[in-house]
Amino acid sequence: MDALDTDNLPPTQYLILEVLAARHRLGEQLWTFPTRLRSYVERLADLGLVGWKSGIAPKTVMVWLTEAGGRAAMDESYVPPNERTDR
C-alpha cells in the first residue's frame, strides 16, 4: 500500500503526525496528547496512521505511529544519527 500524502491532512492532524515522527526518531514509541485532540487522533486512527488508548494521566490519550503512519510521516531514507556513517 502506498503511503498517504500527509500534506493533504488538516493542520492539527498533520502536526500530531509530525510530533509522533519526531518522538519516534528520538526513540519514543508513543506520546501523550490532551483529550481535546482525541477527535483528531481518532480520524488518524481511522486512516490507519496511528494507534491510541486512554492515557494514564487524567484527560490524556497515548498515541503511537502504526507501520503505515511511520511510512507516511517519515522519509524512508531517514537514518538515526547514531547509525550514520558519514560523520
Side-chain angles (χ1 to χ4, degrees):
M1 182 170 118
D2 291 333
L4 178 74
D5 181 7
T6 59
D7 290 338
N8 293 322
L9 290 172
T12 302
Q13 291 177 36
Y14 177 83
L15 290 173
I16 290 170
L17 276 184
E18 285 295 303
V19 167
L20 292 172
R23 300 309 303 181
H24 184 80
R25 288 181 193 107
L26 294 172
E28 297 288 337
Q29 298 306 308
L30 57 85
W31 198 246
T32 303
F33 292 95
T35 53
R36 70 177 177 273
L37 299 178
R38 182 176 168 173
S39 63
Y40 300 103
V41 169
E42 288 175 339
R43 288 185 212 135
L44 290 169
D46 290 344
L47 293 171
L49 299 174
V50 302
W52 72 276
K53 64 182 180 179
S54 294
I56 296 170
K59 298 183 181 182
T60 65
V61 291
M62 291 189 293
V63 187
W64 58 91
L65 288 174
T66 61
E67 189 174 317
R71 285 192 308 270
M74 293 187 287
D75 187 328
E76 60 186 55
S77 66
Y78 174 77
V79 178
N82 63 342
E83 295 178 14
R84 290 179 57 184
T85 59
D86 63 343
R87 296 184 205 191

